[in-house]
Amino acid sequence: MSDKYMDNKELGLILSRTYLAFKRAATRQMSSFGLTPEQFSVLSELSKTEGVSQKRLAELTERDQTTVGKILDKLIKKELVSRSADPSDRRAVRLIITRKGLDLHAQIWPELEQLENQTYKGLKESEVESFIHILNKMYDNLS
């Protein structure tokens, strides 16, 4: 790390710069699979919480419903996600990851783990755990 970064203690800049660098690397990895990081995050959440509403999915991914709707339209067109009627409320729609979506998620996940490992290179496991804990605490403080 160069000295110019050591003097900068502006949290917003540090977080933004790091996020953008990580997102660029993730975008490069996912482009070969035909997905964006935003699409993958929605797909990943659906792999854990199948049958959720669009509203709940927006909450889980920290996005507005309109943005999630646009992402879902693209994932549905790619046959990675489907919409189905909620059996308990015909007006409600449930989102379900398809077999194709699950298979693609399983292909991409190991590559993202490699990217995370690259990101944490040179850090001890305890430092990574502390870092994640601190970031979550900061998020809670702002939420």
Side-chain angles (χ1 to χ4, degrees):
M1 182 182 309
S2 71
D3 289 336
K4 71 178 183 178
Y5 296 127
M6 297 303 285
D7 292 336
N8 191 339
K9 293 188 170 99
E10 295 175 42
L11 178 63
L13 179 62
I14 294 167
L15 290 173
S16 178
R17 183 186 67 219
T18 305
Y19 165 74
L20 291 172
F22 185 85
K23 185 176 177 186
R24 278 191 301 273
T27 299
R28 280 191 303 271
Q29 281 190 323
M30 286 183 221
S31 66
S32 64
F33 295 99
L35 287 183
T36 65
E38 294 79 11
Q39 291 169 348
F40 182 77
S41 71
V42 167
L43 195 66
S44 188
E45 198 57 51
L46 285 174
S47 76
K48 296 180 273 188
T49 54
E50 187 172 289
V52 297
S53 68
Q54 184 172 319
K55 179 181 179 183
R56 180 67 182 135
L57 185 59
E59 291 167 358
L60 292 168
T61 59
E62 297 281 335
R63 291 180 173 86
D64 62 78
Q65 285 190 61
T66 303
T67 301
V68 169
K70 290 175 184 176
I71 293 169
L72 285 168
D73 289 343
K74 291 175 183 173
L75 293 175
I76 289 167
K77 190 174 183 179
K78 294 176 184 191
E79 300 177 343
L80 302 174
V81 173
S82 67
R83 288 183 172 111
S84 68
D86 187 329
S88 61
D89 181 357
R90 289 184 156 188
R91 296 168 297 167
V93 174
R94 295 172 47 165
L95 301 165
I96 299 168
I97 190 169
T98 64
R99 168 56 43 203
K100 185 177 175 181
L102 285 170
D103 291 345
L104 186 60
H105 182 270
Q107 280 184 296
I108 295 172
W109 191 252
E111 293 203 21
L112 281 181
E113 284 181 315
Q114 284 181 334
L115 178 58
E116 283 189 16
N117 289 338
Q118 177 187 340
T119 304
Y120 294 138
K121 185 178 174 183
L123 298 174
K124 298 175 190 162
E125 188 174 334
S126 62
E127 291 174 316
V128 172
E129 288 173 7
S130 292
F131 173 69
I132 291 170
H133 175 76
I134 290 166
L135 283 177
N136 281 320
K137 184 83 164 161
M138 293 167 80
Y139 175 82
D140 289 343
N141 290 342
L142 295 170
S143 296

